[in-house]
Amino acid sequence: MAILKMIIRVYQIKEEFFVKDSMAQSPLSPSHEVFPRNPKQEAGGRSEGCHHHVPSDMMMLPYISRMLMEDEDDTDDKLLSDHPALLQVEQPFAQILSSPSPGDTNDGGGGDERSTPSYSSLSRCPYAVVGEFLKGMDQATNMLLPGAGGFICDDELQVNQTAARESRSKKRNNRDDHNLQDEVITRSSKAVMTIKQQHEDICVHETMLEDMMSSGLETYIREFEKLRVDMANEAHQKNIRKGGKKAVVSNNVVDVSSLLISCAQAVAANDHVRARDLLKQIKQHASETGDATQRLAHCFARGLEARLLGMGSQLWQLVLAERLSIEEFLKAQNLYMAACSFNKVVICFSTMTILQAIQGKTRLHIVDYGMRFGFHWAHLLRLLASREGGPPKVRITAILRSRLRPCPAELIEDTGRRLIKCAHDSGVPFSFHVIRKKWEEVCNEDLDKHPDEVLVVNDHFNFSTLMDESIFFDNPSPRDTVLHNINKMMPDVFIQSILNSSYGCSYLSRFKEALFYYTAMFDMFDATMPRGSKPRMVLEQGLFGRAAVNVIACEGIDLLERPEKYRQWQARNQRAGLRQLPLQPKIVHTLKEEIRMCHHKDLLICQDGHWLLQGWMGRILFGLSTWVAQGSSSE
């Protein structure tokens, strides 16, 4: 034990010199650039890892020192669970894991550049300090704890060890030193394993994001081929099970949809006794891993229960706090893109429309409401790079997502960095900007338009989150204000994608409309995705399920979606001064052929006037259209 004390003292001295040396260096200053450039990256270099030389093994020393010096009468099992020393040592872990992605750069003060991580390495691995911390933890554990051969010490150390043991023997009550060492090892190992897991997750996220940004379509194709194999295997297993068992016909078929509607009627009428009874029946036919109806019932039962208890708002806040990891989200998104055509058609429709609008032009400016990862824009940049005559100058202005669909600012900035890298690698002149305003406050003056640029305004299913007349009776609704502002921007094309549904003015009409929509979606999932797929469960329960809970349980400003039918959007757009453009036959034909050849036969794509519509088994779920200002000559 004396050896441990002496080693600790040596490292305390080392720590003091390190602190003094660090204080002598110039402090870091935050960069004022949204996306600062890295000289090494501009020169074509690639950051190697995420390391910097901070003696992170010092972080555990205060805690271990207190553990070893503590009076044995005061050192028991409780110390290891809630002692201030443990809380102190756990605090850096929490700060590291909860801190935003580092964006600071060295201010150029004369300090040793090794003491500060480079911007390029931190941007590639947001928690760069974790890797170095793990290395320091391993070193500290190896130095402070005995190996297989025990400690090797000289005569002086043996004398000090004997004296220290005699002094401690007066204070302790036969406490076994090995037990203390075991506790330290256990605590240290748990901390290391936790941080290692976080570090591995972050690196996986970074790899997936980079892969999606560099080869998004290829990723979808790989997922599509894998999905075909999985569905074929599942069908084969079903046939085997059917061959070995006789079909059992049950006359007790339960209409879960009717139960759900009846429960919603009871909730709307404040008939709590009947609502609870119906909810109990619904739960008997609900399962996260069952068939489409059971999975849907699981989502809707959760929302109905919260509504019945008057806790819709509280549940929604908890749901918002339960963020999916980036890995879970991307895997679910890839499965969705491979299994059904809805998002793929939207992206292809937007891409082909923009490519047509930019023909013969040298500048392109895209204003994107609610952008998140921006993978489809990376694909557009690569297409523009191969354009005959050279690529245009491209600028993307991202408008942060609305309050009810929050997106961390650092995520948008990371998206911008990846798009900048993608454009640089493709040889496309590119700039990226972010507008942090309420959508109804974004106007033409915020865009800094160039007279020669082609202006494209884009919305992918986001405008349904804007408040409507049901909330603002005396003022223009925010969605009308946004459309008026878009008209004043005089875009060369406004591309709009909408969720085709209408919740009406009563809770029961909203519930029925949501039930029809989510029934179609869950049925489509069941027909195109394996039931045992984890990404499918994330898609159903983590993405679509949470939106369903919001629709069923919430009211007022907590209500996330307020969709409208495509005919309602058409009238609203026209009132704002926008004129609808006709669909391009070549684009429509290409998209129809893609769905016919690659997707399920029950996926629907059709036209109604100037609207391109998508759906499942005859039910229209989504609509796409293009618009210009009334006075514009664009076609």
Side-chain angles (χ1 to χ4, degrees):
M1 300 300 288
I3 296 175
L4 295 179
K5 291 182 181 179
M6 294 186 66
I7 294 175
I8 290 169
R9 180 54 189 156
V10 170
Y11 275 85
Q12 286 173 339
I13 295 171
K14 178 182 175 182
E15 184 180 19
E16 292 172 4
F17 278 100
F18 167 73
V19 171
K20 292 178 180 179
D21 182 64
S22 299
M23 293 179 64
Q25 298 181 13
S26 301
L28 297 176
S29 60
S31 171
H32 296 286
E33 295 182 12
V34 178
F35 307 113
R37 299 180 179 178
N38 184 294
K40 293 182 181 180
Q41 290 180 342
E42 290 181 353
R46 181 179 178 91
S47 58
E48 297 293 333
C50 309
H51 302 291
H52 59 101
H53 298 278
V54 176
S56 52
D57 50 337
M58 294 300 139
M59 297 174 67
M60 286 294 292
L61 292 179
Y63 170 57
I64 299 175
S65 177
R66 291 192 184 194
M67 290 286 292
L68 299 179
M69 301 301 182
E70 190 68 48
D71 200 319
E72 289 297 324
D73 291 332
D74 300 327
T75 314
D76 53 15
D77 292 338
K78 184 178 179 181
L79 172 73
L80 296 172
S81 60
D82 58 2
H83 194 280
L86 177 59
L87 300 179
Q88 178 183 0
V89 78
E90 289 177 345
Q91 184 177 2
F93 302 164
Q95 292 176 345
I96 291 171
L97 298 176
S98 63
S99 62
S101 301
D104 295 347
T105 57
N106 203 324
D107 63 356
D112 185 353
E113 63 178 1
R114 295 176 301 173
S115 66
T116 304
S118 69
Y119 174 80
S120 61
S121 65
L122 288 178
S123 66
R124 290 178 56 80
C125 186
Y127 298 113
V129 68
V130 174
E132 187 63 26
F133 175 78
L134 293 175
K135 181 179 177 182
M137 284 285 290
D138 291 338
Q139 292 174 347
T141 303
N142 292 335
M143 289 184 293
L144 293 176
L145 298 176
F151 287 114
I152 300 177
C153 47
D154 55 22
D155 294 339
E156 181 179 357
L157 290 178
Q158 289 179 359
V159 172
N160 292 337
Q161 182 183 27
T162 302
R165 282 178 177 172
E166 292 175 352
S167 175
R168 281 198 310 276
S169 64
K170 299 178 182 180
K171 299 180 179 179
R172 71 185 181 184
N173 295 322
N174 296 322
R175 178 68 182 260
D176 188 357
D177 293 341
H178 292 290
N179 290 340
L180 181 58
Q181 292 177 7
D182 291 341
E183 293 287 357
V184 174
I185 294 173
T186 301
R187 286 282 174 174
S188 300
S189 299
K190 287 182 178 179
V192 169
M193 290 302 297
T194 300
I195 299 178
K196 277 185 177 179
Q197 184 62 45
Q198 293 285 346
H199 178 63
E200 290 171 359
D201 290 345
I202 292 165
C203 292
V204 169
H205 298 169
E206 287 294 315
T207 302
M208 291 188 68
L209 288 171
E210 289 183 2
D211 183 52
M212 290 294 298
M213 189 64 75
S214 62
S215 57
L217 290 183
E218 289 79 1
T219 302
Y220 298 145
I221 292 172
R222 292 196 302 267
E223 187 68 33
F224 182 74
E225 295 301 325
K226 179 179 179 298
L227 182 61
R228 281 188 169 182
V229 174
D230 291 343
M231 290 298 292
N233 291 337
E234 185 175 76
H236 179 66
Q237 293 298 323
K238 285 182 180 179
N239 291 334
I240 293 176
R241 288 194 296 269
K242 287 181 180 179
K245 297 181 180 179
K246 294 183 178 180
V248 178
V249 179
S250 175
N251 295 324
N252 300 321
V253 178
V254 177
D255 187 349
V256 177
S257 294
S258 296
L259 283 176
L260 289 168
I261 292 175
S262 297
C263 185
Q265 289 174 333
V267 170
N270 290 322
D271 188 349
H272 289 192
V273 175
R274 175 169 169 74
R276 290 193 185 95
D277 180 62
L278 290 167
L279 187 59
K280 184 178 179 181
Q281 297 180 52
I282 292 168
K283 287 183 176 181
Q284 293 173 354
H285 304 280
S287 171
E288 289 183 330
T289 58
D291 59 26
T293 302
Q294 292 171 325
R295 296 179 186 223
L296 179 71
H298 180 83
C299 296
F300 273 59
R302 188 182 181 193
L304 283 168
E305 187 170 30
R307 180 87 180 194
L308 184 61
L309 296 174
M311 299 181 64
S313 179
Q314 293 90 328
L315 174 62
W316 178 240
Q317 296 304 317
L318 291 175
V319 169
L320 282 179
E322 297 171 358
R323 290 186 179 274
L324 294 173
S325 71
I326 294 178
E327 180 182 3
E328 289 176 319
F329 175 84
L330 291 180
K331 286 183 177 180
Q333 178 73 6
N334 290 346
L335 177 63
Y336 184 66
M337 291 286 288
C340 80
S341 59
F342 300 147
N343 274 5
K344 187 184 298 182
V345 166
V346 170
I347 292 172
C348 292
F349 181 83
S350 298
T351 301
M352 288 188 285
T353 300
I354 293 172
L355 289 175
Q356 184 171 350
I358 196 62
Q359 286 183 358
K361 307 290 184 175
T362 59
R363 290 178 178 268
L364 172 63
H365 185 184
I366 299 172
V367 177
D368 194 2
Y369 282 83
M371 187 173 74
R372 192 171 186 184
F373 290 108
F375 301 134
H376 52 292
W377 298 135
H379 177 62
L380 175 64
L381 290 172
R382 287 189 289 272
L383 291 176
L384 292 173
S386 60
R387 190 181 73 158
E388 186 177 353
K393 293 181 179 180
V394 181
R395 179 160 57 124
I396 292 180
T397 298
I399 303 177
L400 286 185
R401 291 162 72 89
S402 62
R403 176 186 63 86
L404 291 175
R405 279 187 177 175
C407 182
E410 60 268 21
L411 180 57
I412 291 294
E413 294 179 358
D414 287 341
T415 296
R417 293 185 184 98
R418 294 187 179 94
L419 286 173
I420 289 172
K421 182 181 183 300
C422 177
H424 181 268
D425 293 343
S426 302
V428 178
F430 180 77
S431 62
F432 184 84
H433 307 275
V434 179
I435 294 180
R436 296 175 175 84
K437 279 187 174 182
K438 292 182 179 178
W439 286 5
E440 54 267 36
E441 296 176 358
V442 177
C443 59
N444 188 45
E445 289 73 19
D446 296 316
L447 303 184
D448 190 24
K449 291 169 59 178
H450 190 279
D452 295 332
E453 70 185 12
V454 173
L455 179 63
V456 176
V457 177
N458 185 77
D459 166 47
H460 283 176
F461 305 120
N462 286 306
F463 281 6
S464 61
T465 63
L466 289 165
M467 299 298 175
D468 60 10
E469 293 80 3
S470 65
I471 300 297
F472 297 93
F473 296 101
D474 299 329
N475 300 315
S477 72
R479 62 182 62 185
D480 284 342
T481 302
V482 169
L483 292 172
H484 277 287
N485 288 338
I486 290 175
N487 180 58
K488 294 177 182 178
M489 294 174 189
M490 296 292 290
D492 291 86
V493 60
F494 164 43
I495 305 171
Q496 186 178 30
S497 308
I498 61 100
L499 166 61
N500 186 62
S501 186
S502 182
Y503 287 166
C505 56
S506 71
Y507 175 73
L508 191 57
S509 65
R510 185 212 308 172
F511 185 91
K512 289 180 178 179
E513 192 72 17
L515 180 61
F516 296 151
Y517 168 75
Y518 286 104
T519 297
M521 293 300 298
F522 276 58
D523 184 54
M524 187 270 296
F525 295 155
D526 205 44
T528 59
M529 303 176 186
R531 289 188 178 178
S533 169
K534 287 189 66 177
R536 175 183 168 180
M537 288 187 60
V538 172
L539 193 65
E540 291 174 330
Q541 306 299 327
L543 295 175
F544 284 84
R546 64 190 287 172
V549 167
N550 178 269
V551 170
I552 298 164
C554 296
E555 287 291 345
I557 61 174
D558 289 325
L559 186 61
L560 174 65
E561 296 274 2
R562 289 181 173 79
E564 294 179 318
K565 299 281 190 178
Y566 67 93
R567 290 294 186 186
Q568 292 175 287
W569 277 110
Q570 180 171 323
R572 192 183 288 276
N573 290 351
Q574 289 172 345
R575 289 198 304 269
L578 295 168
R579 173 168 59 88
Q580 193 169 14
L581 296 175
L583 294 171
Q584 296 298 318
K586 183 178 180 180
I587 295 177
V588 175
H589 174 75
T590 301
L591 295 175
K592 285 184 176 181
E593 282 298 301
E594 171 72 17
I595 293 176
R596 184 183 67 82
M597 294 177 61
C598 301
H599 290 283
H600 197 282
K601 60 182 179 62
D602 289 324
L603 284 165
L604 167 72
I605 184 168
C606 63
Q607 292 177 249
D608 183 8
H610 297 336
W611 285 90
L612 184 65
L613 306 174
Q614 296 189 83
W616 172 256
M617 297 186 70
R619 182 172 182 86
I620 303 300
L621 301 175
F622 305 102
L624 300 91
S625 59
T626 54
W627 301 79
V628 293
Q630 283 285 5
S632 174
S633 60
S634 298
E635 291 293 339

